[in-house]
Amino acid sequence: MPQAAPRGRYLEVAGKLRDRIQDDTTMVKLPPVSALMTEYGGVSRTLINRALAKLKAEGLVISVQGDGWHVVRAGQDSRPLDERMLDVFAHDALDVGSRFPSESNLCQRFGKSRTAVRSALAQLEGAGLLKQDPGKPRVVMALPTDRRKPQ
């Protein structure tokens, strides 16, 4: 990578990543930040994070906790996983006391890692929508106030 002014270097990396995303229409996930640091000439983590923040602001990528950076394609649901899981209540016609789908089912359903699914479930549990007792499946404790139709 040619030397550029330090303040504009992240813009250069963002441009190269943008081109890569647009050229590879099958790309769904970016390499880890550490790999991008090496790939772009040993640049700092801060520089890569600034470049990714720029692409996020443009709506090209999203950060998924526990699962890295993902490319957003037209027509793709880019809401956070915990918000997308709210659709499960309506889609599966769940009521208070119903069993919520298992972690493995949700991993397959949303194409996400167990870490990302667990994080989203923890947010739903924190909101008082779900509860899990040790050794038992998650149970619906309350319904979301916005019972949207599934997308």
Side-chain angles (χ1 to χ4, degrees):
M1 181 181 261
Q3 289 294 337
R7 291 183 63 181
R9 189 120 188 242
Y10 81 96
L11 294 173
E12 185 179 339
V13 170
K16 290 185 180 298
L17 282 169
R18 183 183 307 104
D19 292 344
R20 185 170 165 185
I21 290 167
Q22 291 169 345
D23 290 345
D24 185 354
T25 57
T26 63
M27 180 185 289
V28 294
K29 186 174 176 181
L30 294 177
V33 171
S34 58
L36 293 172
M37 290 167 55
T38 302
E39 183 176 332
Y40 290 103
V43 298
S44 71
R45 180 173 301 278
T46 301
L47 188 141
I48 294 295
N49 286 335
R50 286 184 72 191
L52 292 169
K54 171 109 176 94
L55 296 178
K56 181 178 181 179
E58 295 173 11
L60 293 175
V61 297
I62 59 170
S63 174
V64 178
Q65 185 177 356
D67 202 29
W69 289 88
H70 291 256
V71 176
V72 176
R73 300 287 180 198
Q76 179 183 352
D77 189 351
S78 61
R79 294 177 296 158
L81 185 56
D82 61 313
E83 288 181 25
R84 292 173 52 202
M85 278 192 192
L86 292 175
D87 294 340
V88 171
F89 289 86
H91 185 269
D92 292 8
L94 298 176
D95 286 315
V96 174
S98 299
R99 287 177 62 169
F100 201 73
S102 67
E103 288 178 7
S104 60
N105 176 287
L106 294 167
C107 289
Q108 290 177 342
R109 193 171 186 165
F110 292 103
K112 300 294 179 188
S113 71
R114 188 169 296 269
T115 302
V117 166
R118 284 183 176 164
S119 176
L121 287 168
Q123 290 178 10
L124 296 180
E125 289 171 357
L129 299 174
L130 301 175
K131 180 180 178 185
Q132 183 177 26
D133 290 326
K136 297 194 176 184
R138 280 182 183 80
V139 176
V140 175
M141 298 304 291
L143 298 175
T145 54
D146 179 14
R147 292 225 30 189
R148 293 175 282 226
K149 292 185 179 177
Q151 295 182 340

